Amino acid sequence: VGTTVAGTGGDITFSVNPAATTTYNVLATVVATTCSVEMTDKSTVTVNALPAQKVVSDPSTCVGTAVNITLTGSVTGVSYQLRLDSDDSNVGAAVVGTGGDITFSVNPASTTTYNVLATVVATTCSLEMSDKSAVTVNTLPALPTVSAIEYCQNVSATALTATALANHTLQWYGTNSTGGTASTTAPTPVTTAVGATSYYVSQKNNITGCEGARATITVTVNALPALPTVSNIGYCINEAATALTATALANHILQWYGTNSTGGTASATA
C-alpha cells in the first residue's frame, strides 16, 4: 500500500484512506541484507460512517420576524449545527437529532442562505449537508395614505377611509395603536363627545403576507356653537319692518332659516 518508507530513527507514518474498516501489516526489510520480517503487530483502521444527507426547508419571512428552518428526519446521536453559508460561521447552538424533524430559529435582516453541518456524536465524523436553506426576507409595506377628519358634535359620521398600495389590504385596528385584532372593515367614528381620537390602520401585502406599521388618522369632534344672542321684536300692524338681527360669536357666521324650526335651507341673509 503506497511506497516503502525508510526508517529515520524516529516515528514514521503511512497515509491510508480505506473505504471500510481495514487491517494492515508492515513488512520490515534491512536494506543492506534484504532480510525481511512481517511485524507481528497489525494496524486496524476503523472507518466510521458519515452522517446521512438530510433535507432542509426554504422558508419566507418578513423583516424583523423570526422564522424556523426545518430539517426533516434527524437521526438520534447526530448533532446538527446551522451555519451561515457565506463563511460557515455557526448560527446558534447545535441541535441534537431526535429521530424526527428538528428546527432552527433565525431572524436575518435580509435574504440569507444557511447550511447544516451534521456530526456523529460518538465518532465526531462530520458532513456538511448538500441541501442548503435559502431564507427569503420580504420588506414591510409603507404606511397607507390617510387624512385627518373633523366633525361637529353629534353629526352622523361615515366609515374612515385610507388608500392602500396595489395588491395590499387595509388592516383596521380601531383606536389600538398596538395590539388589538385587525379587521378589513373600517370603523365609523363616534361624534357624541368633543375632542380628538386617534384611529389606526396598516396595510398587508397580499402576496408575502407582510404587514407594515400603523398610520394614524386623527378624528376631531368640535363642539357646537352656543345660541346667537337675539331679542324679540314687536311691530304695529302694517308698520314697515327691518331685517332681523342677531349677534354671533367671534369667527362665527349667522345662519338664517326663516320660520323653519327644523330643516329648511340656511341663508346668510336675515
Side-chain angles (χ1 to χ4, degrees):
V1 178
T3 60
T4 301
V5 179
T8 62
D11 297 345
I12 59 175
T13 59
F14 306 92
S15 179
V16 295
N17 188 12
T21 298
T22 304
T23 299
Y24 299 89
N25 64 53
V26 176
L27 180 68
T29 301
V30 179
V31 175
T33 64
T34 69
C35 294
S36 298
V37 65
E38 180 182 312
M39 304 289 100
T40 55
D41 189 30
K42 303 180 186 298
S43 173
T44 299
V45 177
T46 301
V47 178
N48 297 302
L50 293 173
Q53 291 283 355
K54 297 296 176 182
V55 175
V56 290
S57 63
D58 298 308
S60 295
T61 188
C62 306
V63 170
T65 301
V67 68
N68 285 335
I69 297 171
T70 300
L71 181 143
T72 303
S74 69
V75 177
T76 303
V78 176
S79 173
Y80 298 91
Q81 176 63 60
L82 186 70
R83 308 187 300 180
L84 284 175
D85 195 53
S86 59
D87 60 6
D88 288 338
S89 59
N90 290 346
V91 177
V95 179
V96 177
T98 61
D101 297 349
I102 58 174
T103 59
F104 307 92
S105 180
V106 295
N107 190 3
S110 58
T111 296
T112 303
T113 300
Y114 300 87
N115 66 55
V116 176
L117 181 69
T119 302
V120 179
V121 176
T123 65
T124 71
C125 291
S126 297
L127 177 68
E128 181 182 312
M129 303 289 98
S130 59
D131 189 35
K132 302 179 189 297
S133 174
V135 177
T136 302
V137 179
N138 298 298
T139 58
L140 301 180
L143 294 172
T145 302
V146 298
S147 299
I149 302 173
E150 291 192 19
Y151 285 104
C152 293
Q153 188 177 15
N154 297 322
V155 168
S156 294
T158 58
L160 297 175
T161 60
T163 303
L165 297 171
N167 297 315
H168 288 65
T169 301
L170 293 172
Q171 305 289 299
W172 294 94
Y173 287 91
T175 57
N176 298 297
S177 60
T178 60
T181 302
S183 171
T184 56
T185 302
T188 299
V190 176
T191 63
T192 54
V194 173
T197 302
S198 295
Y199 293 83
Y200 299 91
V201 60
S202 67
Q203 58 183 328
K204 179 185 287 186
N205 188 306
N206 297 336
I207 298 172
T208 66
C210 293
E211 182 179 347
R214 301 177 190 183
T216 305
I217 300 176
T218 301
V219 177
T220 302
V221 177
N222 297 307
L224 297 178
L227 293 172
T229 302
V230 297
S231 298
N232 293 327
I233 302 173
Y235 284 105
C236 295
I237 192 168
N238 296 324
E239 182 182 351
T242 59
L244 297 175
T245 62
T247 304
L249 297 172
N251 298 316
H252 287 64
I253 298 174
L254 294 171
Q255 301 291 294
W256 295 94
Y257 288 90
T259 58
N260 297 298
S261 61
T262 60
T265 301
S267 171
T269 302

